Structures are given as C-alpha cells and as structure tokens.
C-alpha cells in the first residue's frame, strides 16, 4: 500500500467513524464501540477478549495467537498499521498458501455482499471492507500496552 493509498484509506475510515459517532447522542456514543464489537465477534475466540492471545480456541491452533496488546511495544513503540491491515485483509495471501488466521477481507466481502443482496441495495464493497478493517485497527491501537 503506497503512502497516497494509505492516507485515502485512513481518511475513509475517519469519515466512517465520524458518521458512526455523529449518528447518536452522547449515551449512544458511549454504548457503541464498533471496533470492540468487531474484535469480540471475529478475533476474541483466538486472541482472547483482552487481546493477549488467550482465546478459547487458542489451544486448538498449531501456533499460539500473538498477544495483540504488545504489537507496538515490540515495534519500537509504533503500531505497524500497514502490516496489520495486510494481515487482516489477506489480499496478498495466495489462495492455497499457508495462512495462520482467516482472511477477514474475503470474509467481510462475503458478509457485506450477502447483506446488500438481501437489502437489494448498492454499495461500495471495497470501502465497506476498509471501514471494517480500520475500525478493528483503531480498537487494536487502543489496547496497546503503553
């Protein structure tokens, strides 16, 4: 992902976040945490609800899931956003290559396309996938050990 593309993705994610936050009052904003919900629904079973790699399915995996709260600490204090985005999206992973975790970009595309077919609406599939991944990355950034 080049620098221009990166900033376009960040800008779109911030726009989505602003729309989500602007949709309700203060109480709704406090109750709504889309990144945490996304994490709980798709990541916590392996990485643990706290992100420390202690999920209920972790012992069934060949490799232990990493402690996501330590990512920035292990990278000189900088969360490797681009690398995380690529790992979560999985677009560069060969279809029959090795993969330690689900290709969430593909899963999100399938989920969104099904939801949109049911709603008979049109939507920007790449933007929806980016928004979900960026929402998840924003949450992962909040659980980093400081």
């Amino acid at each position: 992902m080049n620098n221009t593309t990166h900033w376009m993705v960040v800008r779109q994610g911030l726009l989505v976040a602003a729309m989500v936050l602007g949709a309700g009052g203060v109480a709704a904003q406090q109750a709504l945490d889309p990144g945490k919900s996304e994490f709980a629904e798709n990541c916590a079973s392996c990485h643990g609800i706290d992100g420390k790699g202690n999920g209920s399915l972790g012992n069934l995996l060949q490799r232990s899931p990493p402690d996501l709260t330590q990512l920035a600490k292990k990278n000189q204090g900088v969360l490797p956003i681009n690398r995380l985005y690529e790992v979560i999206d999985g677009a560069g992973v060969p279809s029959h290559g090795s993969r330690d975790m689900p290709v969430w970009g593909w899963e999100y595309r399938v989920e969104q396309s099904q939801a949109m077919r049911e709603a008979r609406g049109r939507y920007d599939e790449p933007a929806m996938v980016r928004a979900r991944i960026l929402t998840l990355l924003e949450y992962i950034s909040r659980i980093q050990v400081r």
Side-chain angles (χ1 to χ4, degrees):
M1 181 182 298
N2 66 36
N3 199 27
T4 303
T5 304
H6 168 76
W7 287 113
M8 286 175 40
V9 168
V10 169
R11 187 175 38 217
Q12 286 177 341
L14 292 173
L15 179 61
V16 169
M19 289 187 307
V20 167
L21 292 175
V26 173
Q29 289 175 16
Q30 291 173 348
L32 180 64
D33 189 340
K36 187 174 185 176
S37 297
E38 191 75 43
F39 188 87
E41 185 176 322
N42 295 313
C43 309
S45 59
C46 294
H47 292 283
I49 197 71
D50 58 2
K52 294 182 183 267
N54 56 358
S56 59
L57 298 180
N59 60 347
L60 302 175
L61 303 173
Q62 290 181 357
R63 290 177 48 189
S64 297
D67 180 345
L68 299 179
T69 68
Q70 299 287 323
L71 296 173
K73 186 176 182 180
K74 292 179 178 180
N75 192 46
Q76 290 114 19
V78 178
L79 187 64
I81 295 291
N82 287 341
R83 176 70 181 132
L84 288 173
Y85 189 98
E86 291 170 357
V87 169
I88 294 167
D89 182 50
V93 177
S95 60
H96 295 290
S98 63
R99 176 74 178 179
D100 294 330
M101 64 179 265
V103 178
W104 288 110
W106 173 254
E107 294 295 323
Y108 290 160
R109 284 175 193 82
V110 170
E111 286 178 22
Q112 291 302 135
S113 65
Q114 180 62 34
M116 291 301 126
R117 268 197 303 279
E118 291 170 1
R120 295 193 174 143
R122 297 180 59 97
Y123 72 107
D124 182 350
E125 178 184 278
M128 292 295 288
V129 172
R130 277 192 305 275
R132 288 183 75 178
I133 293 173
L134 290 172
T135 299
L136 183 55
L137 290 175
E138 186 278 328
Y139 176 72
I140 292 171
S141 74
R142 284 190 279 138
I143 64 171
Q144 295 304 294
V145 171
R146 305 283 178 217

